[in-house]
Amino acid sequence: MVALTGAGVSAESGVPTFRGPEGLWRSFRPSELATPEAFRRDPALVWEWYDWRRQQIAACQPNPAHQVLAEMERAIPDFTLITQNVDGLHQAAGSRKVLELHGNIWRVRCTACGWKGEDRRVPLPEIPPRCRCGGLLRPDVIWFGEALPSKVLEAAWTAASRCQVMLVIGTSAVVQPAASLPIVAKRNGAYLIEVNPAETPITPFADEHLRGPAGKVLPRWWARHLPAE
Ligand code: OAD
């Protein structure tokens, strides 16, 4: 079993989504904040935006959808959680194995020496933050135009092509390559369940559409499908 999550799974925790009426991309331009060019042009501006998002996320707790996904990992022997989210809320809910396709907002990476580490300070004391080597640090997330971490993508692709059931939760399914994973699963015979209050490009391929907020509908679905003791 595979679960693929997007920003919608964290919406009920208070983390803004990207698209839709309240989405971040309504008020901010990705080209100015989430590309390597934007960072080269104005690292302080990009970091201010990430620092603001980190502060928002720091105030958020996992919701019942995150919790149920952590339970699924414990109950199902072959379960893979793939997320496009960078907020770390799956791990905060207790998920141990999370394939993070777009990185993690709590990790930083040095643009000079390549050092990577966690930095959970909010707000950051210095913007833009610097590495011990003096180099500029960047958030360890994937920006538009950047390749996904190849090992993570490979693992996600393998899991998608081998799964019997895939839950697609809270993603608008428009950002590639993540958006292809449900199609890969479906083509290989998986049963596809979409959890989303809205329709998406995945809806026509889904065997079931649980229409509603993930924090409500996922726990109900799980209660009906709990594996026998
Ligand atoms: P989007 O913001 O594009 O889509 C959020 C989806 O969640 C929409 O389909 C909503 O209908 C749905 N949704 C909203 N509230 C929900 C709820 N309570 N329960 C379930 N679903 C809900 O977010 P993503 O698809 O994750 O990339 O966006 C993909 C990528 O685009 C992000 O990872 C980010 C962004 O640019 C990078 O930063 C690289």
Side-chain angles (χ1 to χ4, degrees), residues 1 4 13 17 40 59 92 168 186 205:
M1 180 151 167
L4 169 68
S13 295
T17 60
R40 270 197 295 276
V168 184
K186 182 76 191 170
F205 301 94

Side-chain angles (χ1 to χ4, degrees), residues 99-158:
L99 295 176
E100 293 182 313
L101 293 176
H102 295 162
N104 189 298
I105 203 163
W106 300 112
R107 267 197 324 262
V108 293
R109 170 153 61 91
C110 180
T111 55
C113 72
W115 175 84
K116 257 190 202 188
E118 198 179 74
D119 187 341
R120 288 194 166 255
R121 289 174 300 170
V122 282
L124 284 165
E126 177 197 20
I127 286 190
R130 299 249 162 214
C131 179
R132 283 206 184 134
C133 80
L136 199 56
L137 291 170
R138 60 163 281 177
D140 193 24
V141 299
I142 306 299
W143 284 325
F144 288 99
E146 291 186 314
L148 269 57
S150 56
K151 278 198 183 132
V152 177
L153 182 60
E154 211 177 287
W157 212 267
T158 304

Side-chain angles (χ1 to χ4, degrees), residues 42-52 55 123-130 136:
D42 195 343
L45 175 77
V46 171
W47 262 117
E48 270 163 26
W49 191 65
Y50 276 92
D51 194 39
W52 169 72
Q55 291 178 54
L124 284 165
E126 177 197 20
I127 286 190
R130 299 249 162 214
L136 199 56

Side-chain angles (χ1 to χ4, degrees), residues 12-222:
E12 288 153 87
S13 295
V15 183
T17 60
F18 293 94
R19 294 166 189 85
E22 310 274 298
L24 290 171
W25 296 151
R26 281 277 161 128
S27 332
F28 301 99
R29 277 201 216 158
S31 59
E32 283 169 18
L33 298 165
T35 65
E37 294 74 29
F39 188 70
R40 270 197 295 276
R41 210 165 39 230
D42 195 343
L45 175 77
V46 171
W47 262 117
E48 270 163 26
W49 191 65
Y50 276 92
D51 194 39
W52 169 72
R53 285 184 58 203
R54 286 161 55 104
Q55 291 178 54
Q56 272 187 326
I57 295 167
C60 296
Q61 302 296 326
N63 68 58
H66 296 108
Q67 279 148 7
V68 158
L69 287 162
E71 264 179 50
M72 286 183 191
E73 183 187 82
R74 291 191 288 269
I76 301 170
D78 194 349
F79 178 82
T80 304
L81 178 57
I82 307 168
T83 190
Q84 297 165 83
N85 298 346
V86 298
D87 56 31
L89 288 178
H90 284 304
Q91 292 89 335
S95 288
R96 297 243 178 104
K97 286 182 291 166
V98 187
L99 295 176
E100 293 182 313
L101 293 176
H102 295 162
N104 189 298
I105 203 163
W106 300 112
R107 267 197 324 262
V108 293
R109 170 153 61 91
C110 180
T111 55
C113 72
W115 175 84
K116 257 190 202 188
E118 198 179 74
D119 187 341
R120 288 194 166 255
R121 289 174 300 170
V122 282
L124 284 165
E126 177 197 20
I127 286 190
R130 299 249 162 214
C131 179
R132 283 206 184 134
C133 80
L136 199 56
L137 291 170
R138 60 163 281 177
D140 193 24
V141 299
I142 306 299
W143 284 325
F144 288 99
E146 291 186 314
L148 269 57
S150 56
K151 278 198 183 132
V152 177
L153 182 60
E154 211 177 287
W157 212 267
T158 304
S161 50
R162 288 180 27 199
C163 69
Q164 293 178 339
V165 178
M166 182 186 270
L167 287 162
V168 184
I169 307 163
T171 177
S172 58
V174 294
V175 173
Q176 296 293 352
S180 294
L181 293 169
I183 308 299
V184 168
K186 182 76 191 170
R187 226 186 264 144
N188 286 279
Y191 187 81
L192 215 58
I193 305 169
E194 183 175 48
V195 183
N196 199 313
E199 295 205 348
T200 74
I202 293 304
T203 313
F205 301 94
D207 296 286
E208 269 183 65
H209 184 187
L210 309 178
R211 198 189 274 267
K216 295 237 158 55
V217 300
L218 199 61
R220 268 191 238 138
W221 180 87
W222 178 234

